Amino acid sequence: MEGQEVGEGKTKLIDESGKRLDGRKWDELRPISIQVGLMKNADGSAYIEWGKNKIMAAVYGPKEVHPKHQVLPDRALLRCRYHMAPFSVDERKNPAPSRREIEISKVIREALVPAVIVEDYPRTAIEVWVEVLQSDGGSRVAGITAASLALADAGINMRDLVVGCSCGIINNQVVADLDDTEDKEGSGDMPVAIMPNLGLVSLLQVDGIYSREQFQKAFELAIAKGKQVNALQRAALNTRFFGGEAKTTQVEEVAE
Amino acid sequence: MEGQEVGEGKTKLIDESGKRLDGRKWDELRPISIQVGLMKNADGSAYIEWGKNKIMAAVYGPKEVHPKHQVLPDRALLRCRYHMAPFSVDERKNPAPSRREIEISKVIREALVPAVIVEDYPRTAIEVWVEVLQSDGGSRVAGITAASLALADAGINMRDLVVGCSCGIINNQVVADLDDTEDKEGSGDMPVAIMPNLGLVSLLQVDGIYSREQFQKAFELAIAKGKQVNALQRAALNTRFFGGEAKTTQVEEVAE
Amino acid sequence: MEGQEVGEGKTKLIDESGKRLDGRKWDELRPISIQVGLMKNADGSAYIEWGKNKIMAAVYGPKEVHPKHQVLPDRALLRCRYHMAPFSVDERKNPAPSRREIEISKVIREALVPAVIVEDYPRTAIEVWVEVLQSDGGSRVAGITAASLALADAGINMRDLVVGCSCGIINNQVVADLDDTEDKEGSGDMPVAIMPNLGLVSLLQVDGIYSREQFQKAFELAIAKGKQVNALQRAALNTRFFGGEAKTTQVEEVAE
Amino acid sequence: MSMKKNYVVETIRKAQMVQLLASGKRVDGRSLDQHRELKIETGVIPKANGSARVFLGNTQVIAGVKIATGTPFPDTPDKGILMVNAEILPLSSPYAEAGPPSEDAIELARVVDRGIRESKMVDLGKLNLVSGKSVIAIFVDCNVMNVDGNLFDATSYAVVAALRTAKMKKYVIKDEKAEATNELIQVPVEKTPVSLTFARIGDKVVVDPGAEEEASMDMRITITTEDGGNVCASQKGEASTITPAQVLQAADTSIRVGKAIRAKIIEATK
Amino acid sequence: MSMKKNYVVETIRKAQMVQLLASGKRVDGRSLDQHRELKIETGVIPKANGSARVFLGNTQVIAGVKIATGTPFPDTPDKGILMVNAEILPLSSPYAEAGPPSEDAIELARVVDRGIRESKMVDLGKLNLVSGKSVIAIFVDCNVMNVDGNLFDATSYAVVAALRTAKMKKYVIKDEKAEATNELIQVPVEKTPVSLTFARIGDKVVVDPGAEEEASMDMRITITTEDGGNVCASQKGEASTITPAQVLQAADTSIRVGKAIRAKIIEATK
Amino acid sequence: MSMKKNYVVETIRKAQMVQLLASGKRVDGRSLDQHRELKIETGVIPKANGSARVFLGNTQVIAGVKIATGTPFPDTPDKGILMVNAEILPLSSPYAEAGPPSEDAIELARVVDRGIRESKMVDLGKLNLVSGKSVIAIFVDCNVMNVDGNLFDATSYAVVAALRTAKMKKYVIKDEKAEATNELIQVPVEKTPVSLTFARIGDKVVVDPGAEEEASMDMRITITTEDGGNVCASQKGEASTITPAQVLQAADTSIRVGKAIRAKIIEATK
């Protein structure tokens, strides 16, 4: 039968009662806290802690395009760099961009552009810098989540926020929001980014083996969890622009 | 006496009856087949199989010059890259251009330019890409042979075709058209490219030790063999532009 | 007490009578010879031998600035490269610029600019190339000493020459002009460059541990020794422009 | 390939294409879920340990396999190494450039690699020689020879066909050292992953976009499936979006169409 | 940071600043030898072996320590390895750029490294495991997060604080091989070097220049002192000069002010 | 060196030069097969294992030899390593640029290397220490100090003179390991290859072109001969052609003139 022999089964990542190694339920997010506007020089910024991920996103622009031949006459050029600090992972990472970082920079850019009203800023550049200070599983979706807030903080016109969550498979079971161990020992990782109000998917990558049913379950779970994280995004923007305590919002506080 | 102690003598590359390892006579070419115009996007192209060499040459242009400061006001800028696919040689080759590839790109360019009426295309670029898919001895002359056909296929005005052949020395004997083993185990390799109708030499490189007589013999043999290959070039162009079977021409079919 | 435990004391670099390994006194310079104007193509040049250092400095300019966006509208752009030949040191050096060479190029540039009347050459570039053919201790100050002569030789308007000397600490004692062994085995190196007529310091770098007193003593010694080397600079310029024997001046000939 | 677009022409062209698609037609007459003719030649580079040339319409890719011994990665001491690289040759298109791999070429190689790797096509455990010291390393290099849209699928098929026909030396282990024998054996291939790429143009999703369709497409998505009908890799591309329903429909199409393509690849690499 | 300057505005701005300094005042109200508020947080990157975030005014730097075993340099076979790197992140300033380290970032890393190394802060001899074969290698990477002047001091304090709080595995040597134990021990820190950077604007020298002051400064000098009150490193920067008297006065100030900063760093890293 | 040419001036200049050559004269008064004054100084870099400075007219090149032990290439396990590199220093000419080696510098190094290597000047078999494990590696780096035409010959002479005077440590083999002794021995030099470079300007071929001649030349050809009067390397350069008869005549001239230059090099490196 199709899909039956899927899964690696080596490490016990989820127990009989459905508890994962860190105590979470199958569909439970790690703790998330978001702060908008911490960086002084950037035109916009957001800092996210998501599980052990610690990621700073900052935006500069709209600004002049250099070199000039890259100018887009009818819209803004959005540049994006996803970069991992050398100390962000277990083994020190060479600071030069790896092929993985180059690919992720591209998919993050392509996930963000649809949300930005680039037609409002012809002939300019908007730069999005995502710096992973500490990496856990799901750093690209956490980075996108922070980056779209940084764009909003910079006052860039947007159609919607972009928010992401990664779901996947551990011990042949669909779970939400894989951490580092689950990503490495599990059998599948599916980062998804959505524009939650428009109901559109702007990033989708899939690793691992999913039956058709698992594929749909993981995908729909990622969208649902993305919407949950979007509530945190909105709370963080609210704190930034309409005051209230600057304390970090925890995922537990959010009604689904 | 001069020239006497020349030769390595370790491997027996040619036997008493004058037969080489692959059965060829001292002055015999390997099988050659040429097809012009296979590539769909390129403005011109030619594919050559010469012994075990498999080489694709393609031409783009005349086109705009970027960056602009490289524009030549009175003629076309001819760019050339000779590149070996990572799988083209016994040990996987790093895809980044080696010093050898950079040098060969230069001498190929300098071998082709004299045949191109560059004055007819001022302020433009003509790009010649030579990709070695499988490499045997003599890949640079095979590449030139294909590249000049690709230029002709692109409709670039030319004074003559350019055609090459490499001769050399094995077991202290001058032979034509060294293959990989003869190139490595032999004691000399002399790639020569000519403009056959004009009787001019546009590429000459020499490796190995040649007495004055051997030098002349190898050099003149290379020119004679180049003329033989030129007949194949013309046949391939004929097939391309005036129909007839598209079947590959073999060297055996050609009258010397 | 402060400063007391300073010094490495492993190698005996200076004996009881105050003699250093090469026989010099604590405040004695190595032999220095300077020749101005040897290079044919450069607009200005100077060659210095200082101990075992052999350094050629050459200047091109004022010339057009490429790329244009680097143009300074009100003054010249001074470029500087300090480079070590692969054979200049004990172990062959990779010819690509190291981080050390990049830093030294920067501090040399910043040491020379104050002496050049850059306002006299707006929108131009002045290039200073310092090539270390053989390296001993103190190559950067020797390079600056030669480079400022090359600028003068090129006829560039200057406020003053720039001249350097490196002092430091060996066996907890301040000495002048460390050679390679003293630099490596000693406990401190302090290269200083000055504009001698204006009494200004244009380069200062410090390595090693100095008590407040040692710091001042080494610093003031470096300035005094720089002035001594400046006499050699002036003699070399004199030889270049007003004839006299082209023989190399030795430090011993110079009155302090 | 990021093409330099002439915005006016592109806009008109796209409007025409959207109109055509609204009536269920594509510029080259295909149905929405129909891929172009697929031709697979194997053994095209005899010096390689395995090779294939794939034509997908006028898109042409050559993949070559080189096999050597190497040191395993520290975190997988008893697994062989599999690396997929791709170069979009400057001769393949007027928009390709010489130089270090572009962002596009890096994405191409990584997405193709992911499909192969995640399907567990090659049993890396069988490439172990001496744990922690010596393993078999398989390099697959892809030369894109002509660009006419959908490099992802063409490159993937070329890699799969090259690996399916690749042969490697058999090794014997003596005193903790791997010694090559003269015997040639198949690379341990367990699965035949099939990549299928879709383009959304306006609100229509088509399979295997050609170059003209790519020039007008809003979004690209690749879904790779394996023999069991499972999804093993996916990648959405281009700076636009896809609806959740379109994703699920693409998965269904990929599983269905993938079966036919898999049969074709297996047939061509017997 | 080489900022693109608007010459007219810069000239006016600098003239105002020189006038203000003539009356002993700085743009932000500080006295000439007063540094900005220094905040040190440690343990900010738990995955690193040691880490610190330093705020010096609005300048922000994060340093992370990674410790591994390595092969010693041939000329120091029984000494461990200490490497300091710095990246001025593009998110830190409108003038910073992505790409390989700029001349400014290289100078920054090398000057900070020099202060740490020359002070003998870390006893490299204690990082030896098997002479000539295996030593402990300490990498300190610095991310400049926000640029508001005086990166030299902020980065130096971050490195010192990260090293002072760094922990490494204890190793035991068996049969000429180093084996890691589960015990964590402190990095062998012997000294606490303190960097102090001055800017000359006109003829006045100020401590810890902010970004506005740096935009107007003629010359920069950094002097690092260690616990014994000795000078252990210095670097003059920018294309201008300093008088000998100013150098000596800066040394005195560095020794004096350095003591207070050292106490603060030690307090923050207990 | 690819010089930025002023086309009008160049054209006039070349026409004059062709006219002059028609009457058998060169701009600097030399005969067609006469090379410029050759000066060779050896031992100019005492820290190198061998070195030479060569002046060919105003062209100046310094070559330095560094010798170390290394691992042999897999396909020549019992042969030493010889590498020739060249840098055309930015101080050598207004047209030279700083940065990674240009196409011109790479061709220069490779052509000089070829002449040395193919003549079997250095007996690489005598540089073997422990087969497959350890050999002597000789690096020759060339600094072009001043460009005044014909870098090929000047660089080649500098390399040959540096190698002829280079000394290396004697090694003894103990237990499959090479140990350096304090004894210094000559590098095993067997031949003295001599490079001779010709320029064709119009239909005249001249030896050892100066910078002005190179600016007007159509074609360049280098022919290297060894002691036995044999040709061991050649390279045609520039985007033009040569007739077969000119090639053969150049070979004859190279053999003839090469003898005199060889004697001069041997004399200078005794």
Side-chain angles (χ1 to χ4, degrees), chain C residues 21-210:
Chain C
L21 289 184
D22 61 356
R24 281 186 290 155
K25 286 178 291 182
W26 73 277
D27 63 346
E28 196 179 341
L29 292 171
R30 290 170 289 176
I32 299 172
S33 78
I34 306 176
Q35 284 167 281
V36 177
L38 293 181
M39 290 284 97
K40 303 293 180 182
N41 286 337
D43 294 316
S45 66
Y47 175 68
I48 190 164
E49 294 196 353
W50 180 327
K52 292 177 187 153
N53 286 301
K54 293 171 187 286
I55 300 173
M56 180 68 75
V59 167
Y60 285 91
K63 50 189 281 191
E64 229 182 304
V65 179
H66 291 287
K68 296 209 188 257
H69 69 85
Q70 295 185 355
V71 166
L72 299 176
D74 59 345
R75 59 190 198 277
L77 172 74
L78 194 130
R79 291 198 178 108
C80 182
R81 182 177 96 142
Y82 164 97
H83 184 253
M84 303 185 84
F87 46 73
S88 64
V89 280
D90 290 335
E91 298 281 317
R92 175 177 185 268
K93 194 206 149 283
N94 186 310
S98 65
R99 290 164 59 95
R100 177 181 170 275
E101 283 167 295
I102 292 170
E103 186 203 349
I104 294 182
S105 296
K106 182 175 192 285
V107 294
I108 291 182
R109 184 183 74 231
E110 294 175 342
L112 293 171
V113 170
V116 176
I117 306 179
V118 285
E119 301 79 6
D120 285 359
Y121 311 98
R123 311 190 64 79
T124 70
I126 298 171
E127 295 172 343
V128 179
W129 309 110
V130 176
E131 182 74 12
V132 179
L133 297 167
Q134 184 167 279
S135 165
D136 203 358
S139 68
R140 82 194 69 182
V141 288
I144 288 170
T145 301
S148 79
L149 288 171
L151 283 161
D153 184 39
I156 305 287
N157 296 343
M158 296 178 77
R159 294 182 174 83
D160 199 349
L161 287 172
V162 185
V163 66
C165 183
S166 179
C167 291
I169 296 191
I170 60 175
N171 300 134
N172 204 18
Q173 204 172 319
V174 168
V175 296
D177 189 21
L178 281 67
D179 67 18
D180 218 22
T181 310
E182 292 173 333
D183 186 10
K184 281 176 187 151
E185 306 282 326
S187 59
D189 182 34
M190 183 193 289
V192 177
I194 57 171
M195 289 160 61
N197 293 324
L198 298 174
L200 294 169
V201 175
S202 73
L203 176 138
L204 172 64
Q205 296 185 291
V206 179
D207 265 11
I209 296 189
Y210 303 73

Side-chain angles (χ1 to χ4, degrees), chain D residues 60-206:
Chain D
Q60 185 190 152
V61 178
I62 297 178
V65 175
K66 284 286 181 187
I67 302 179
T69 55
T71 311
F73 294 117
D75 52 342
T76 53
D78 52 4
K79 287 197 172 170
I81 293 169
L82 176 68
M83 304 270 279
V84 175
N85 283 293
E87 186 170 8
I88 302 172
L89 295 181
L91 61 74
S92 68
S93 153
Y95 308 106
E97 286 178 11
S102 65
E103 195 186 60
D104 289 319
I106 288 171
E107 186 189 23
L108 172 62
R110 284 180 59 83
V111 169
V112 170
D113 183 288
R114 203 171 296 152
I116 308 295
R117 186 180 304 281
E118 296 295 329
S119 73
K120 302 196 164 60
M121 176 181 181
V122 178
D123 186 341
L124 299 181
K126 289 187 180 159
L127 300 180
N128 187 26
L129 297 173
V130 182
S131 286
K133 290 192 180 161
S134 178
V135 296
I136 291 172
I138 300 179
F139 292 88
V140 192
D141 285 281
C142 302
N143 263 13
V144 174
M145 301 295 291
N146 198 67
V147 173
D148 187 27
N150 198 5
L151 299 184
F152 287 86
D153 292 353
T155 304
S156 178
Y157 304 157
V159 172
V160 169
L163 280 171
R164 283 187 57 89
T165 53
K167 288 194 160 54
M168 61 187 198
K169 284 180 182 161
K170 186 173 179 172
Y171 285 83
V172 292
I173 312 301
K174 281 188 183 160
D175 298 337
E176 288 277 285
K177 291 216 170 178
E179 280 178 24
T181 67
N182 285 325
E183 193 180 340
L184 285 179
I185 57 173
Q186 290 286 133
V187 165
V189 165
E190 313 274 325
K191 292 280 177 63
T192 303
V194 175
S195 166
L196 201 67
T197 295
F198 304 80
R200 178 171 65 73
I201 302 162
D203 59 356
K204 295 291 179 189
V205 175
V206 300

Side-chain angles (χ1 to χ4, degrees), chain F residues 102-159:
Chain F
S102 64
E103 195 187 59
D104 289 318
I106 288 171
E107 186 189 22
L108 172 62
R110 284 180 58 83
V111 169
V112 170
D113 182 287
R114 204 172 294 152
I116 308 294
R117 185 179 305 281
E118 297 295 329
S119 74
K120 301 195 165 58
M121 176 181 182
V122 177
D123 186 341
L124 299 181
K126 290 189 180 156
L127 301 181
N128 187 26
L129 296 174
V130 182
S131 286
K133 290 193 179 161
S134 178
V135 296
I136 291 173
I138 299 180
F139 291 88
V140 192
D141 286 281
C142 303
N143 263 12
V144 174
M145 301 295 292
N146 198 67
V147 173
D148 187 26
N150 197 3
L151 298 184
F152 287 85
D153 292 352
T155 304
S156 178
Y157 304 156
V159 172

